[in-house]
Amino acid sequence: MTTVEETILSPIGKEGVGPNEFGYYGKFGGAYIPEMLHPNVEQLKTRYLEIMAEPSFQKEYQELLRDYVGRPTPLFFAQRLSKQFNSKIYLKREDLCHTGAHKINNTIGQILLAQKLGKKRIIAETGAGQHGVATATVCALKGMECVVYMGEVDIERQAPNVARMKMLGATVVPAKSGSRTLKDATNEAIRAWINEPVHTHYIIGSVVGPHPYPDMVARFQSVISEEMRWQLKEKTGAELPNQVVACVGGGSNAAGAFYHFINEPAVRLIAVEAAGHGINSGMSAATTQLGRAGVLHGSKSLVMQTEDGQVIEPHSISAGLDYPGIGPMHAHLFDCGRGTFLSVTDEDSLTAAFELAKLEGIIPALESAHAFSALKQMDLKEDDVTIVCLSGRGDKDLATYMRSMEQAPALKGV
Ligand SMILES: *Cc1c(COP(=O)(O)O)cnc(C)c1O
């Protein structure tokens, strides 16, 4: 058996906790791509670490994180929530980032990288539109052409985000094949990249895709845990919490929140997946509970699939968690036991969102509400220090919250 030390901690770069040179975290990862994309992915693979280490890159990245994204985001001691659990709970406020979630930490990094690679044009896929908006935002900032692929069904469901992308100058291209949702948009984006590989960079929105994307995105998001460490030290005198909790769709906010704690065995890493209507309901997105090893969107990981390997359409009330796979780093954290994976239903995440709103005056994204709900499944001790990654704000979910209040006002305390 490979140990955690041999695999996930293989040193790449200075402080790296990356995959091995082939992009594997234990059994998972790699780069399963069409021949035509080989030059692009190879170029990224040979250049990303070198570019990210360049002082001129770091200077601009750090300045933009500070002045444009609004970092460092606060680490907030949630007093009333802590009292309710009789424990100590801190919130990492990624909801305060420009565009309302952590996704921009990655798109800022990737657009600077694309510029260094001499690319002229950006493509991206999006489901609910959050990654599309974060990509369109940085393309406007840098004056780059932006084409976002989005399922036709999602375009109808997510009209406000489509409008945002257009206002930011992006072209939104409908994916009309299959179920006309995220996985079809991803297929279209890959096809577009094959057609125009030389001048185009594909900005992937989570720690998924072929190597080096999972590692590259994890590094851009790792600013989250880098800040957590010094912020917790400032507040409590100690750098290490007992546990870090984050929701997992593809796994980028969790990867960022876990990154600088992976080598600290004393810190429990708790990943929260979407159980949808219930793990065994046939309408769920709890990949580690339901998935098997398989290849999805360019890497080997855990994938929800039928006996004969067809990808199963996932379900979650939260668009960001509605994905049939999980990044290879998380598949490995699950496989080797370093990460603890919990799951939360649609209904329980709604309840947690309403509770957090009333307890702390913060309306969370539905994705982040899954992480809060998971606190109830944990045996929190009085002296425990827990950091919850509040990945995004709830503005985008207001229509869902309104429907929920109409349907069950008493349950939501309204
Ligand atoms: C997209 C999104 C997620 C899920 O993506 P990860 O890559 O798993 O982090 C979680 N929370 C919010 C607010 C999102 O917008």
Side-chain angles (χ1 to χ4, degrees):
M1 208 183 110
T2 43
T3 64
V4 181
E5 286 72 22
E6 280 164 0
T7 52
I8 195 143
L9 308 184
S10 48
I12 294 184
K14 270 206 315 284
E15 84 301 2
V17 287
N20 70 16
E21 63 178 305
F22 305 107
Y24 278 88
Y25 302 84
K27 298 200 270 289
F28 304 106
Y32 296 78
I33 48 163
E35 186 81 32
M36 300 277 291
L37 287 182
H38 196 256
N40 276 41
V41 173
E42 195 60 28
Q43 183 195 34
L44 259 187
K45 193 177 99 181
T46 49
R47 302 279 322 272
Y48 81 111
L49 291 173
E50 164 197 320
I51 292 176
M52 285 169 71
E54 279 173 19
S56 63
F57 178 94
Q58 277 301 326
K59 180 170 182 290
E60 193 171 5
Y61 181 54
Q62 299 302 337
E63 277 174 10
L64 285 172
L65 287 183
R66 188 188 65 214
D67 301 336
Y68 190 70
V69 176
R71 305 204 71 93
T73 59
L75 183 71
F76 173 65
F77 178 61
Q79 208 160 6
R80 297 204 330 126
L81 187 70
S82 295
K83 197 162 169 219
Q84 171 153 320
F85 283 96
N86 192 28
S87 192
K88 299 189 186 72
I89 302 168
Y90 289 81
L91 314 184
K92 182 58 173 161
R93 300 288 312 272
E94 295 302 294
D95 61 318
L96 295 177
C97 290
H98 179 45
T99 69
H102 66 289
K103 285 196 171 73
I104 194 150
N105 302 327
N106 168 47
T107 58
I108 284 272
Q110 283 202 50
I111 195 116
L112 295 179
L113 197 103
Q115 278 192 321
K116 293 268 186 192
L117 291 171
K119 305 289 180 181
K120 304 282 177 245
R121 191 167 165 268
I122 297 296
I123 57 172
E125 84 296 337
T126 197
Q130 296 301 109
H131 173 57
V133 169
T135 303
T137 298
V138 298
C139 287
L141 177 73
K142 287 293 173 186
M144 294 255 255
E145 186 189 343
C146 180
V147 183
V148 179
Y149 293 85
M150 187 169 187
E152 206 167 35
V153 170
D154 290 333
I155 288 180
E156 276 164 38
R157 288 195 291 206
Q158 310 290 342
N161 274 341
V162 176
R164 283 186 184 102
M165 285 184 265
K166 288 184 174 165
M167 190 164 171
L168 292 160
T171 305
V172 180
V173 177
K176 301 182 178 190
S177 62
S179 55
R180 297 176 291 144
T181 57
L182 177 60
K183 73 175 166 42
D184 312 293
T186 305
N187 292 336
E188 288 290 331
I190 291 172
R191 209 167 298 147
W193 205 20
I194 290 172
N195 285 337
E196 228 274 62
V198 180
H199 301 295
T200 305
H201 175 68
Y202 179 10
I203 298 191
I204 294 182
S206 190
V207 284
V208 300
H211 177 61
Y213 279 99
D215 185 47
M216 181 169 70
V217 177
R219 283 167 186 269
F220 285 136
Q221 293 291 359
S222 71
V223 64
I224 299 174
S225 48
E226 193 183 310
E227 290 173 3
M228 283 176 179
R229 283 187 78 127
W230 64 257
Q231 288 173 321
L232 194 66
K233 178 141 202 216
E234 228 173 56
K235 289 191 157 44
T236 68
E239 271 184 52
L240 301 182
N242 297 83
Q243 51 237 338
V244 181
V245 187
C247 65
V248 176
S252 68
N253 87 89
F258 295 169
Y259 200 87
H260 291 281
F261 298 114
I262 289 174
N263 280 342
E264 305 282 1
V267 182
R268 282 189 293 274
L269 307 176
I270 300 183
V272 185
E273 296 181 304
H277 293 191
I279 289 177
N280 296 314
S281 65
M283 290 189 73
S284 161
T287 304
T288 58
Q289 308 305 307
L290 298 168
R292 284 183 292 121
V295 172
L296 179 67
H297 298 147
S299 59
K300 189 168 181 193
S301 191
L302 292 171
V303 183
M304 287 169 50
Q305 53 189 310
T306 60
E307 292 275 300
D308 55 355
Q310 290 297 314
V311 173
I312 292 174
E313 198 69 31
H315 165 82
S316 167
I317 191 172
S318 93
L321 305 185
D322 197 357
Y323 185 68
I326 186 176
M329 170 179 149
H330 293 293
H332 179 63
L333 291 176
F334 175 74
D335 190 50
C336 69
R338 177 67 184 93
T340 302
F341 284 70
L342 304 176
S343 64
V344 165
T345 63
D346 290 353
E347 202 48 49
D348 288 346
S349 72
L350 277 171
T351 303
F354 282 85
E355 286 169 354
L356 187 72
K358 289 201 181 57
L359 273 175
E360 298 292 348
I362 296 171
I363 299 176
L366 265 167
E367 290 83 0
S368 322
H370 284 72
F372 285 100
S373 180
L375 293 172
K376 295 175 194 169
Q377 298 177 32
M378 294 160 50
D379 182 23
L380 298 178
K381 307 276 188 299
E382 195 169 345
D383 291 330
D384 272 5
V385 171
T386 302
I387 302 180
V388 182
C389 186
L390 177 42
S391 56
R393 57 179 174 243
D395 309 33
K396 69 184 178 60
D397 298 312
L398 210 60
T400 309
Y401 292 150
M402 284 163 72
R403 228 174 298 128
S404 169
M405 283 189 277
E406 279 162 25
Q407 282 163 3
L411 280 178
K412 305 299 179 299
V414 293

